[in-house]
Amino acid sequence: MTEMFDKLSHDQQLNILLELARQATRHYDLPEGLEVDLLNLSENATYRVRAPDGRRWALRLHRAGYHSRQAIASELAWLNDLREKHVVVTPAPVPGKDGELIQTLRHPRMGEARNVVLSHWENGVEPSITQNLTGPFEVLGEVTARMHLHSRQWQRPVWFTRPIWNFETALGETNPHWGRWRDGMGVDAPLAALFGRTVAAIGKRLAAYGQPPDRFGLIHCDLRLANLLVDGPVVKVIDFDDCGFSWFMYDAATPVSFYEHDPQVPELLEAWKTGYRRVTPLARADEDEIPTFIMLRRILLLAWIGSHAETETAQAMGIAYTQGTAGLCDAYLAKYG
């Protein structure tokens, strides 16, 4: 059945996912006459659910085989505690009619069941790189620091499980989470050689930097602009789907995802660090390694684009993103190679 679904056209798959999303709404205490519209298709399919009276929710159909039910429950446990402790504004999950936050549904044309989570809608606007983001990045730095302090102190449930994002699982050759960077769009032999030298330099620096508890722990892992909502002076954080164990300073790199080459990035990073320091000290060794995490993230996204070529984001980035990475690699190697 899964093979049958995978062989369907993109539009046919979207229709089946929409059918499943509409079916999922019936597992919650929601009003009649709902509108269900696709918001985003990436690892998961996310829908806006709108009632006739204007109330809205976000419904996520989890991709089959990406996260276990236990891993999703772990994600929800962390974001719920972050919200309840007033660390950061996050979407509040809605229990189903059976009281469970995670619903599991099947579709006759899918081989595997899909896990579903419904959350209350959060107001706000996704920031754009075309705007002046200095102020929001200062706030984001504060928010990220509070999340890191919470992560270090939080007593996780004994059953808690989330992915580990280290050098091997990001850029390694054996079984990287998002595929091999060598399979990125347009990675020819000269680029592969350049990227390979950069990856080796990243690995060497991170091996020296290490993974002690004050540098490596539970983080969001994907604070890119699409996962932030600016609501007046508040910066809200959504989509904890990739949260896991990694270097805390990796959270400094993800907000500039897909725009690492933009001229305003150095200014935005300074704003982020200013906000971070308002909450907790930022060690010089941590600050010095941020460029390494930006480079790691850039090459990791090459792998993601290559393994998610069907998504709008990957198609928008395309080969131009791969080619633009070369200049960043040259600059990085000149300083750290």
Tab-separated table of all heavy atoms in Angstrom, residues 132-151:
chain	number	residue	atom	x	y	z
A	132	ASN	N	13.675	44.562	8.118
A	132	ASN	CA	14.704	44.826	9.125
A	132	ASN	C	14.403	43.929	10.322
A	132	ASN	O	13.471	44.181	11.079
A	132	ASN	CB	14.697	46.297	9.537
A	132	ASN	CG	15.781	46.607	10.564
A	132	ASN	OD1	16.449	45.711	11.083
A	132	ASN	ND2	15.953	47.873	10.862
A	133	LEU	N	15.203	42.905	10.491
A	133	LEU	CA	14.931	41.894	11.517
A	133	LEU	C	15.820	42.044	12.746
A	133	LEU	O	15.858	41.151	13.593
A	133	LEU	CB	15.100	40.489	10.927
A	133	LEU	CG	14.131	40.100	9.814
A	133	LEU	CD1	14.460	38.700	9.292
A	133	LEU	CD2	12.699	40.158	10.300
A	134	THR	N	16.506	43.159	12.868
A	134	THR	CA	17.419	43.323	14.006
A	134	THR	C	16.679	43.196	15.331
A	134	THR	O	17.110	42.466	16.234
A	134	THR	CB	18.118	44.688	13.929
A	134	THR	OG1	18.792	44.795	12.675
A	134	THR	CG2	19.127	44.828	15.061
A	135	GLY	N	15.549	43.906	15.467
A	135	GLY	CA	14.773	43.835	16.701
A	135	GLY	C	14.260	42.437	16.990
A	135	GLY	O	14.477	41.900	18.092
A	136	PRO	N	13.574	41.789	16.025
A	136	PRO	CA	13.112	40.418	16.259
A	136	PRO	C	14.238	39.442	16.580
A	136	PRO	O	14.060	38.527	17.383
A	136	PRO	CB	12.425	40.055	14.940
A	136	PRO	CG	11.940	41.357	14.401
A	136	PRO	CD	13.001	42.348	14.783
A	137	PHE	N	15.427	39.628	15.999
A	137	PHE	CA	16.532	38.719	16.294
A	137	PHE	C	17.060	38.923	17.713
A	137	PHE	O	17.510	37.964	18.349
A	137	PHE	CB	17.654	38.874	15.266
A	137	PHE	CG	17.602	37.842	14.167
A	137	PHE	CD1	16.557	37.825	13.260
A	137	PHE	CD2	18.579	36.874	14.076
A	137	PHE	CE1	16.497	36.872	12.251
A	137	PHE	CE2	18.529	35.904	13.071
A	137	PHE	CZ	17.482	35.901	12.158
A	138	GLU	N	17.003	40.149	18.213
A	138	GLU	CA	17.370	40.356	19.622
A	138	GLU	C	16.401	39.609	20.532
A	138	GLU	O	16.811	38.934	21.473
A	138	GLU	CB	17.368	41.848	19.964
A	138	GLU	CG	18.620	42.585	19.531
A	138	GLU	CD	18.751	43.929	20.214
A	138	GLU	OE1	18.233	44.088	21.334
A	138	GLU	OE2	19.383	44.824	19.623
A	139	VAL	N	15.110	39.728	20.225
A	139	VAL	CA	14.103	39.025	21.021
A	139	VAL	C	14.295	37.514	20.891
A	139	VAL	O	14.195	36.775	21.870
A	139	VAL	CB	12.680	39.436	20.595
A	139	VAL	CG1	11.634	38.643	21.377
A	139	VAL	CG2	12.465	40.927	20.792
A	140	LEU	N	14.583	37.067	19.681
A	140	LEU	CA	14.802	35.635	19.470
A	140	LEU	C	16.005	35.148	20.265
A	140	LEU	O	15.993	34.038	20.810
A	140	LEU	CB	15.010	35.347	17.984
A	140	LEU	CG	15.299	33.889	17.612
A	140	LEU	CD1	14.147	32.978	18.043
A	140	LEU	CD2	15.563	33.755	16.114
A	141	GLY	N	17.051	35.967	20.350
A	141	GLY	CA	18.200	35.593	21.167
A	141	GLY	C	17.813	35.392	22.614
A	141	GLY	O	18.244	34.430	23.264
A	142	GLU	N	16.969	36.289	23.147
A	142	GLU	CA	16.486	36.142	24.518
A	142	GLU	C	15.673	34.861	24.670
A	142	GLU	O	15.854	34.098	25.631
A	142	GLU	CB	15.629	37.342	24.904
A	142	GLU	CG	16.361	38.674	24.962
A	142	GLU	CD	15.420	39.809	25.309
A	142	GLU	OE1	14.314	39.534	25.817
A	142	GLU	OE2	15.775	40.969	25.058
A	143	VAL	N	14.760	34.646	23.727
A	143	VAL	CA	13.905	33.456	23.773
A	143	VAL	C	14.752	32.184	23.732
A	143	VAL	O	14.526	31.237	24.499
A	143	VAL	CB	12.902	33.482	22.596
A	143	VAL	CG1	12.224	32.124	22.435
A	143	VAL	CG2	11.863	34.573	22.806
A	144	THR	N	15.734	32.162	22.830
A	144	THR	CA	16.580	30.975	22.695
A	144	THR	C	17.367	30.713	23.973
A	144	THR	O	17.492	29.562	24.408
A	144	THR	CB	17.543	31.151	21.508
A	144	THR	OG1	16.813	31.509	20.335
A	144	THR	CG2	18.310	29.861	21.251
A	145	ALA	N	17.884	31.769	24.587
A	145	ALA	CA	18.620	31.597	25.840
A	145	ALA	C	17.724	31.023	26.933
A	145	ALA	O	18.147	30.146	27.699
A	145	ALA	CB	19.208	32.939	26.277
A	146	ARG	N	16.486	31.505	27.003
A	146	ARG	CA	15.561	30.970	28.010
A	146	ARG	C	15.260	29.493	27.743
A	146	ARG	O	15.176	28.689	28.673
A	146	ARG	CB	14.267	31.788	28.036
A	146	ARG	CG	14.443	33.210	28.547
A	146	ARG	CD	13.112	33.806	28.980
A	146	ARG	NE	12.132	33.848	27.901
A	146	ARG	CZ	11.952	34.884	27.080
A	146	ARG	NH1	12.719	35.973	27.220
A	146	ARG	NH2	11.032	34.852	26.137
A	147	MET	N	15.110	29.147	26.470
A	147	MET	CA	14.871	27.746	26.121
A	147	MET	C	16.064	26.877	26.508
A	147	MET	O	15.902	25.756	27.001
A	147	MET	CB	14.571	27.624	24.624
A	147	MET	CG	13.236	28.229	24.219
A	147	MET	SD	12.991	28.274	22.425
A	147	MET	CE	12.910	26.521	22.036
A	148	HIS	N	17.272	27.396	26.300
A	148	HIS	CA	18.468	26.629	26.645
A	148	HIS	C	18.585	26.437	28.154
A	148	HIS	O	18.949	25.344	28.617
A	148	HIS	CB	19.709	27.333	26.101
A	148	HIS	CG	19.821	27.282	24.614
A	148	HIS	ND1	20.804	27.959	23.908
A	148	HIS	CD2	19.074	26.631	23.677
A	148	HIS	CE1	20.650	27.718	22.615
A	148	HIS	NE2	19.618	26.921	22.451
A	149	LEU	N	18.285	27.481	28.920
A	149	LEU	CA	18.321	27.344	30.377
A	149	LEU	C	17.287	26.324	30.843
A	149	LEU	O	17.559	25.500	31.731
A	149	LEU	CB	18.060	28.703	31.033
A	149	LEU	CG	19.174	29.748	30.907
A	149	LEU	CD1	18.736	31.057	31.558
A	149	LEU	CD2	20.472	29.258	31.533
A	150	HIS	N	16.101	26.369	30.252
A	150	HIS	CA	15.061	25.402	30.604
A	150	HIS	C	15.526	23.991	30.277
A	150	HIS	O	15.356	23.058	31.072
A	150	HIS	CB	13.774	25.727	29.849
A	150	HIS	CG	12.659	24.765	30.095
A	150	HIS	ND1	12.548	23.566	29.420
A	150	HIS	CD2	11.598	24.812	30.945
A	150	HIS	CE1	11.472	22.924	29.846
A	150	HIS	NE2	10.882	23.653	30.763
A	151	SER	N	16.118	23.820	29.101
A	151	SER	CA	16.576	22.501	28.668
A	151	SER	C	17.588	21.919	29.648
A	151	SER	O	17.546	20.721	29.965
A	151	SER	CB	17.205	22.612	27.271
A	151	SER	OG	17.883	21.430	26.918
